[in-house]
Each structure stands twice: as structure tokens, then as C-alpha cells.
């Protein structure tokens, strides 16, 4: 079964569970009606027990679905690790992160792999799959983009790179670049490092509140370094996570 087919299979289950859950919630309305007709307290008690049972049942089913997505993503991490080992750059202490490559024509998320002396920069090696979205809540899963992974990488000497703080915050950068390049999807680029961290740390899968996350970006500072005709930008906390610090302001 292909990865896309697996996503569709799990999504179908999710929709089916949600439909069943809605039917069960409608049945809960019967208990207050019975109470009003009979004035028997037992109907109210039965209604409360029924609602608690629905919530527990729904929670358990959602956990099963989330574990399925987590297993898919862990498979992608394992494939990535195998590839890094094959090309000879993987280290036990290596630390991954996502940054931004900014040029006159684009802002692109880039995958970074930090080792003791080097920073290896790939293109965006993950395909972002928005499994479903409701209002401001979105559920994302990553799929390894083997084509981009096979395109190669740049080897950067960590100790010769000069990092400076940028004036604008994380939110201002993404919005400005989205407007400059006439592509507002750029604003969602921040999710790559967030989801990568969750995948690496095996954090429980859950929907992301996009508007809340965008608001939080106002608090996040950025640092940058110049690489020929491009600028490599990292969120400050992300940079420190992989041992990179600003040299000056």
C-alpha cells in the first residue's frame, strides 16, 4: 500500500468515527426529554453516564488514529536516517532542524543536519500533508520527499559562519516574504521545524491551532547568515537547539 493510500485509509476511518460520534451525541438528547416527561432523576443520571461513555470512547478512537499517523511519520524518520548513514554524514549526536533559504525569488524551508564541525543543508525534504482542517485546527503529517533528498546537499563549515540577529520577528518575516513573493502559503512554513521536533521526540500527534501558532511567532527572534547569493535564516531557539548562536546584533 502506498503512503497516500494509507493516509486515505486512516482519513476515511476518522470521518467514519466522527459521523458515528455525531449520531451518539444526538441520542444523548433523549435523556433530558425523558426526565421532563417523567421527572425521574434516574434519566438525568443515565444521561450523564452516557455522555461520559461517549467522550471516553471518542478519546480512545482518536488515540488509535493518532498512533497510526505517528507510525507513518516514524517510518519516514527511519528512512531519512538510513539515507544520512548511506551518504556518510549521520552521527549519533547529530541534530536536525528546519530553517529558511531566502533569495530574491523565493523563501524555501530547508532541512539542516548539524554535526560537530559541519552544517549540512538540504532542500525541503518533506512533503506537507494536511490530513484535515476544521476552522483554525489543522492536522499535518510529513512524507519524505525522496526526489529532493537525492538532489544532494551543501556542506557548511560551522565555525566559519557569521550569524547576526535580524530586526524583524518570525511572524513579520513570513508575512513580508509572503506578500513580496505573492504567495501567502509561505506563512505556513514555520510548521516544518515544529512538526520535525515532534517527530524526533515522538510527541503525541495532535491538531495544530494555526492562528494561535502564528500569534506566538511574534515572540520569536531570528538570526541569519549570508551564503553566496542566499540568506540562511533560523529561528533563534531552533538555532540554539543545534548549537548555533548569533555573533552580533
Amino acid at each position: 500500500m502506498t503512503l497516500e493510500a494509507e493516509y486515505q485509509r486512516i482519513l476515511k476511518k476518522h470521518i467514519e468515527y466522527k459521523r458515528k460520534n455525531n449520531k451518539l451525541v444526538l441520542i444523548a438528547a433523549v435523556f433530558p426529554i425523558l426526565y421532563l416527561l417523567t421527572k425521574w432523576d434516574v434519566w438525568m443520571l443515565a444521561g450523564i453516564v452516557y455522555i461520559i461513555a461517549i467522550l471516553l470512547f471518542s478519546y480512545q478512537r482518536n488515540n488509535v488514529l493518532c498512533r497510526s499517523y505517528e507510525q507513518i511519520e516514524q517510518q519516514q524518520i527511519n528512512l531519512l536516517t538510513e539515507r544520512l548513514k548511506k551518504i556518510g554524514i549521520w552521527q549519533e549526536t547529530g541534530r536536525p532542524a528546519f530553517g529558511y533559504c531566502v533569495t530574491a525569488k523565493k523563501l524555501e524551508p530547508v532541512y539542516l543536519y548539524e554535526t560537530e564541525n559541519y552544517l549540512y543543508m538540504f532542500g525541503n525534504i518533506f512533503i506537507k500533508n494536511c490530513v484535515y482542517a476544521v476552522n483554525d485546527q489543522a492536522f499535518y503529517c510529513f512524507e519524505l520527499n525522496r526526489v529532493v533528498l537525492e538532489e544532494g546537499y551543501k556542506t557548511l563549515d560551522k565555525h566559519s559562519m557569521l550569524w547576526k540577529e535580524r530586526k524583524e520577528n518570525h511572524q513579520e518575516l513570513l508575512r513580508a516574504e509572503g506578500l513580496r513573493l505573492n504567495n501567502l502559503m509561505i506563512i505556513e512554513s514555520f510548521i516544518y521545524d515544529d512538526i520535525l521536533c515532534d517527530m524526533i521526540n515522538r510527541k503525541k500527534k495532535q491538531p495544530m491551532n494555526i492562528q494561535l501558532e502564528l500569534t506566538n511567532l511574534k515572540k520569536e527572534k531570528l538570526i541569519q547568515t549570508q551564503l553566496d547569493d542566499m540568506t540562511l535564516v533560523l529561528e533563534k531557539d531552533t538555532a540554539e537547539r543545534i548549537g548555533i548562536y548569533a555573533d552580533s546584533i
Side-chain angles (χ1 to χ4, degrees), residues 27-44 46:
I27 294 173
V30 172
F31 294 97
I33 294 172
L34 290 172
Y35 171 76
L36 291 173
L37 292 174
T38 64
K39 300 301 181 182
W40 292 354
D41 291 341
V42 66
W43 291 120
M44 290 302 292

Side-chain angles (χ1 to χ4, degrees), residues 102-117:
V102 183
T103 68
K105 295 183 178 180
K106 67 178 180 179
L107 179 147
E108 178 188 22
V110 289
Y111 176 80
L112 304 168
Y113 189 74
E114 180 270 346
T115 61
E116 185 177 357
N117 296 311

Side-chain angles (χ1 to χ4, degrees), residues 10 15-16 22 39-40 45 69 84 103 111 117 120 127 143 145 156 168 183 185-186 189 193 198 212 232 236 242:
I10 300 173
I15 295 172
E16 179 185 343
N22 289 340
K39 300 301 181 182
W40 292 354
L45 179 61
Y69 288 122
L84 296 180
T103 68
Y111 176 80
N117 296 311
Y120 300 96
I127 298 170
E143 175 185 350
N145 190 330
L156 308 172
E168 75 267 55
N183 180 7
M185 289 301 294
I186 283 175
S189 298
D193 192 64
D198 291 347
L212 177 61
L232 178 59
K236 193 175 181 181
I242 60 174

Side-chain angles (χ1 to χ4, degrees), residues 120-133:
Y120 300 96
M121 184 174 75
F122 295 78
N124 186 1
I125 62 170
F126 284 114
I127 298 170
K128 175 185 68 177
N129 291 303
C130 183
V131 181
Y132 70 86

Side-chain angles (χ1 to χ4, degrees), residues 16-239:
E16 179 185 343
Y17 288 165
K18 187 175 181 180
R19 189 178 295 117
K20 287 181 178 179
N21 195 62
N22 289 340
K23 290 179 179 178
L24 292 173
V25 170
L26 288 174
I27 294 173
V30 172
F31 294 97
I33 294 172
L34 290 172
Y35 171 76
L36 291 173
L37 292 174
T38 64
K39 300 301 181 182
W40 292 354
D41 291 341
V42 66
W43 291 120
M44 290 302 292
L45 179 61
I48 293 171
V49 172
Y50 181 79
I51 291 172
I52 292 173
I54 291 175
L55 292 174
L56 289 174
F57 188 48
S58 178
Y59 177 78
Q60 290 173 350
R61 287 189 303 191
N62 286 337
N63 273 347
V64 171
L65 290 174
C66 286
R67 282 196 296 270
S68 297
Y69 288 122
E70 290 163 10
Q71 289 170 1
I72 291 176
E73 286 192 333
Q74 194 55 48
Q75 290 171 4
Q76 305 307 297
I77 289 294
N78 292 341
L79 289 171
L80 174 58
T81 300
E82 289 175 10
R83 177 57 184 164
L84 296 180
K85 287 180 177 179
K86 185 177 179 180
I87 59 181
I89 67 174
W90 185 86
Q91 291 185 6
E92 189 71 39
T93 56
R95 294 177 289 189
F98 261 96
Y100 306 119
C101 172
V102 183
T103 68
K105 295 183 178 180
K106 67 178 180 179
L107 179 147
E108 178 188 22
V110 289
Y111 176 80
L112 304 168
Y113 189 74
E114 180 270 346
T115 61
E116 185 177 357
N117 296 311
Y118 299 103
L119 189 64
Y120 300 96
M121 184 174 75
F122 295 78
N124 186 1
I125 62 170
F126 284 114
I127 298 170
K128 175 185 68 177
N129 291 303
C130 183
V131 181
Y132 70 86
V134 179
N135 298 327
D136 292 335
Q137 299 286 326
F139 198 100
Y140 294 98
C141 282
F142 277 0
E143 175 185 350
L144 193 61
N145 190 330
R146 302 190 190 193
V147 174
V148 175
L149 189 58
E150 295 295 332
E151 287 177 352
Y153 55 90
K154 289 188 176 183
T155 303
L156 308 172
D157 185 346
K158 234 173 62 171
H159 306 296
S160 65
M161 301 171 76
L162 178 64
W163 292 90
K164 296 182 178 181
E165 286 194 7
R166 289 180 69 102
K167 293 181 180 180
E168 75 267 55
N169 61 46
H170 199 169
Q171 185 192 85
E172 289 170 342
L173 169 71
L174 294 180
R175 284 189 169 169
E177 289 298 308
L179 291 171
R180 178 176 75 88
L181 299 167
N182 195 27
N183 180 7
L184 294 182
M185 289 301 294
I186 283 175
I187 296 174
E188 276 194 4
S189 298
F190 73 90
I191 73 169
Y192 285 94
D193 192 64
D194 288 353
I195 296 177
L196 176 65
C197 284
D198 291 347
M199 291 167 67
I200 296 296
N201 296 320
R202 296 175 179 264
K203 188 176 178 181
K204 182 180 177 182
K205 201 75 181 164
Q206 57 186 356
M208 181 181 288
N209 189 317
I210 298 298
Q211 288 303 317
L212 177 61
E213 294 294 334
L214 283 172
T215 300
N216 290 338
L217 294 184
K218 291 181 181 179
K219 306 172 186 177
E220 297 179 1
K221 297 180 179 180
L222 303 169
I223 66 172
Q224 69 176 38
T225 188
Q226 194 65 33
L227 303 172
D228 299 326
D229 60 344
M230 68 180 72
T231 303
L232 178 59
V233 181
L234 289 174
E235 193 272 321
K236 193 175 181 181
D237 288 342
T238 298

